[in-house]
Amino acid sequence: MTPRALEAAVREAAVRIFGLDPARIPFVWPRNDHADEGADVATALPPRLAGSVGDRLDVSRGDRRAAVAARVADGLSDMRDEGLVDFDRVFHDGRGFLNVTFTGRQREALLAEAADGPRFLTGRDWDGAGEWPSSALHEAGPVAQARRLARADARARIGLAVGPQAPPPGPRGEVSWRDPYLDGGPRELITPAARALGAVGEASARVAFCRSVPERPRDTETTGRDLPVLPSVEYPGAWARLTDANPAFRLRYAHAHAVSLCRWAEEGAPPPAACSGHTAPVRGLLFDGPSVLDTAARREEPHILVRYLEALASAYDEWRTCSTAVSEPAERAAAPPALPAAVAGVVRTGLFLLGVSAPTRL
């Protein structure tokens, strides 16, 4: 079940139970990171409704949130009995949040949906007209100016993806590791911004420029160990390395690995062993992708998307290596074949919105 499908189901349950006008119900993203223990996702819609419908319930003021959540849960259960929605379990917690546990089939369907990253993250096809903004960063003078251009590109691309019109076609086809500044042949790099691009490459530069929060960072500011906000030819930091210390490399490697795993599976290779304890975090982060992109667009803060992609890549890294940490064979199971495709779809789309290409081969 996708976030949008669950939100629509919870909204319909509230309409049924309380006779509300659907247009007056606030849109509340269900989130995995809000879920109580044992649940896949949770929604904060019942507490949002408590103020407007709580007086219809014969409860004290302090119990309104729980009472509203219980009623909406009953409505969802009735919809399941009618075959309109499916889930394994629904319950409310002390916050009044509605927690939902999915069936195995729903979890598989979520992964299948996420493989089409553009549609999953934005709820529509990318088949509109227009061009995706992409500034020539080497034409900037100071590195700070190149950073402003890269952040403006990311904001515009994110806004275009979730805006009122259908976005232009998105990422497609094979992409190599080659970088226009590191591998593009001789190029005259005169300005500080151009020389910085020659030192770290465009992919690392764009991720570095979008990773931090301040609009006007200090020259010496970093976003982590050896990760300068304004990488320069004098101090490129880890942004110049092809290692896990470089977040841009780590994101692009995760995508290339996921795509390769899908390709190897198509060629007949057995699926890797994985434990359920490392599968659930990846699936949960995938579920939260649409709400993260929506938040990044509303706040115009590209770092929200960068940090989300990093969290997803880290969870994927733990998933793909977890079999070495499993001591009991009984705890091992064949990895869901759709999981790498889902990770690849979301990471590729997220990088594209940052103006970064996603390599397809290791």
Side-chain angles (χ1 to χ4, degrees), residues 4 25 57 73 92 127 140 148 155 242 255 294:
R4 288 179 176 83
I25 299 178
L57 305 173
H92 63 88
D127 54 4
R148 288 193 292 273
R155 289 190 176 103
L242 300 181
H255 177 266
D294 181 63

Side-chain angles (χ1 to χ4, degrees), residues 151 155 158 215 294-304:
R151 291 168 71 83
R155 289 190 176 103
I158 292 171
E215 288 303 311
D294 181 63
T295 300
R298 285 188 293 103
R299 298 182 181 178
E300 297 187 339
E301 295 179 351
H303 78 274
I304 293 175

Side-chain angles (χ1 to χ4, degrees), residues 2-358:
T2 65
R4 288 179 176 83
L6 180 58
E7 193 279 335
V10 174
R11 176 185 296 268
E12 175 61 22
V15 169
R16 286 178 164 219
I17 291 296
F18 297 110
L20 300 173
D21 178 359
R24 297 178 65 88
I25 299 178
F27 187 100
V28 179
W29 283 107
R31 298 269 305 194
N32 168 264
D33 58 5
H34 291 169
D36 210 355
E37 186 174 357
D40 284 286
V41 299
T43 173
L45 180 61
R48 296 282 298 275
L49 295 176
S52 58
V53 304
D55 55 356
R56 306 183 191 181
L57 305 173
D58 188 20
V59 295
S60 64
R61 186 176 185 85
D63 296 329
R64 286 181 179 178
R65 291 184 302 176
V68 172
R71 292 289 302 278
V72 176
D74 290 341
L76 273 177
S77 297
D78 291 341
M79 292 171 62
R80 178 178 59 180
D81 294 341
E82 297 172 22
L84 300 176
V85 68
D86 191 24
F87 52 84
D88 183 59
R89 181 185 177 214
V90 61
F91 64 95
H92 63 88
D93 56 31
R95 304 166 297 175
F97 282 32
L98 205 62
N99 291 262
V100 180
T101 303
F102 294 150
T103 65
R105 181 175 298 179
Q106 286 178 310
R107 291 169 179 168
E108 294 171 1
L110 171 67
L111 297 179
E113 292 280 351
D116 184 352
R119 169 167 276 281
F120 175 73
L121 290 175
T122 65
R124 57 187 176 170
D125 293 322
W126 291 15
D127 54 4
E131 298 290 335
W132 292 96
S134 182
S135 301
L137 301 185
H138 67 275
E139 294 180 356
V143 177
Q145 183 182 5
R147 179 177 184 267
R148 288 193 292 273
L149 291 175
R151 291 168 71 83
D153 285 347
R155 289 190 176 103
R157 292 167 81 101
I158 292 171
L160 193 58
V162 302
Q165 305 298 324
R172 60 182 62 185
E174 295 268 334
V175 176
S176 74
W177 287 90
R178 294 182 64 84
D179 186 280
Y181 296 99
L182 297 177
D183 310 302
R187 183 192 294 263
E188 192 173 13
L189 303 175
I190 300 175
T191 67
R195 292 198 299 272
L197 290 165
V200 304
E202 182 175 15
S204 291
R206 286 188 180 273
V207 173
F209 294 155
C210 291
R211 192 174 193 258
S212 58
V213 181
E215 288 303 311
R216 297 185 178 278
R218 300 184 301 274
D219 291 343
T220 58
E221 191 169 335
T222 64
T223 60
R225 183 177 181 181
D226 205 21
L227 294 174
V229 171
L230 299 171
S232 63
V233 68
E234 295 81 14
Y235 178 33
W239 296 112
R241 302 176 199 159
L242 300 181
T243 69
D244 281 351
N246 179 350
F249 174 80
R250 192 175 186 188
L251 291 175
R252 302 175 87 215
Y253 182 88
H255 177 266
H257 186 280
V259 171
S260 297
L261 206 57
C262 295
R263 185 169 56 247
W264 297 335
E266 292 174 355
E267 295 171 353
C275 65
S276 60
H278 286 92
T279 300
V282 179
R283 190 173 57 241
L285 281 162
L286 289 169
F287 184 91
D288 287 348
S291 62
V292 170
L293 182 59
D294 181 63
T295 300
R298 285 188 293 103
R299 298 182 181 178
E300 297 187 339
E301 295 179 351
H303 78 274
I304 293 175
L305 178 58
V306 174
R307 298 307 178 101
Y308 164 76
L309 294 174
E310 289 182 25
L312 179 58
S314 295
Y316 175 73
D317 286 342
E318 293 182 6
W319 173 85
R320 68 181 179 83
T321 60
C322 71
S323 60
T324 59
V326 177
S327 58
E328 295 296 330
E331 297 179 17
R332 298 179 183 176
L339 190 144
V343 170
V346 171
V347 171
R348 177 173 61 252
T349 306
L351 286 173
F352 179 82
L353 293 176
L354 296 172
V356 179
S357 64

